[in-house]
Amino acid sequence: MAFCPVCGAQVAMGQSFCARCGSPTTTSGASTLTPAPAYQGETSNPQRIAGFGWRVLAFALDEFVLDLVLYLSLRNSNSITFLEQGIFAFVANFLYFGLMVGLARGQTLGMMACRLRVVNATDRGPVTFNQAMARSAIYSVLLLLASIYDYHAKRKNNLTTKQAEVILRHGLLYLALAAPHLLDLLWAVWDKQRQTLHDKFAKTVVVHTR
């Protein structure tokens, strides 16, 4: 496929004059046809969207790393409160996912192991640092919201089985607080681009590196 160098109309190879403007398409027997413009998102090795199962596996590996770091950091801290644990976990998740994706070519340790990468959803180019931090912020805030009940329940450790109404009320509260976080993660199940809500907010998508 080629184009007229004057008006840009499509012309057939070997055609001497443009059908639209009449300009010559060859000079001294040498073709001056302009090649077709390449699609910006097109690559010789198209990126394949990561499936939900691969994302879950990468996420599980990342959470294992984070849980290990949190355990080693807090195991000797007997005086730390559950609220402080929640804040520490929030900061750890935010920095881990934000800095790893933003500085390590769009990959966390779990993504490296599963050969996945976060890229720009618009042109499939490298994710920017701001996108990585925005993506991590949404995820971490929803995770903190989902964790509020857990820390509250641990602080209220005097609950007994006889307090059925209290337990039920706390269970419903937990579901209400955890629902946004679960919806964020499960959105990738039915989304065509397998994007979570924090992916959509940051305009990113997760792909296979090969």
Side-chain angles (χ1 to χ4, degrees), residues 4-150:
C4 173
V6 177
C7 69
Q10 181 180 340
V11 296
M13 295 301 297
Q15 184 175 337
S16 301
F17 295 93
C18 174
R20 176 187 293 178
C21 68
S23 300
T25 57
T26 58
T27 303
S28 300
S31 176
T32 60
L33 294 179
T34 305
Y39 173 58
Q40 293 181 352
E42 183 179 358
T43 61
S44 58
N45 184 22
Q47 296 169 319
R48 184 161 54 93
I49 297 294
F52 182 73
W54 283 109
R55 295 199 59 174
V56 169
L57 179 58
F59 176 76
L61 293 174
D62 286 325
E63 285 301 314
F64 173 78
V65 172
L66 280 169
D67 288 344
L68 182 62
V69 170
L70 291 174
Y71 170 75
L72 294 177
S73 301
L74 303 177
R75 62 177 177 174
N76 296 323
S77 302
N78 297 323
S79 60
I80 191 170
T81 66
F82 290 114
L83 178 59
E84 291 171 335
Q85 287 185 28
I87 295 175
F88 188 82
F90 165 78
V91 173
N93 276 272
F94 173 67
L95 293 179
Y96 174 79
F97 287 104
L99 295 179
M100 286 295 296
V101 172
L103 301 178
R105 299 179 61 191
Q107 292 179 295
T108 61
L109 295 177
M111 290 180 181
M112 291 178 187
C114 296
R115 297 181 178 179
L116 305 180
R117 175 175 285 117
V118 180
V119 297
N120 191 312
T122 304
D123 59 6
R124 302 296 174 85
V127 65
T128 66
F129 183 78
N130 288 340
Q131 282 180 301
M133 298 308 290
R135 182 178 186 272
S136 181
I138 294 299
Y139 167 77
S140 301
V141 167
L142 294 178
L143 176 63
L144 179 62
L145 181 64
S147 303
I148 289 176
Y149 172 79
D150 184 44

Side-chain angles (χ1 to χ4, degrees), residues 194-206:
R194 294 293 181 261
Q195 290 176 295
T196 58
L197 292 180
H198 59 271
D199 276 318
K200 288 188 173 296
F201 177 82
K203 297 181 180 180
T204 60
V205 67
V206 178

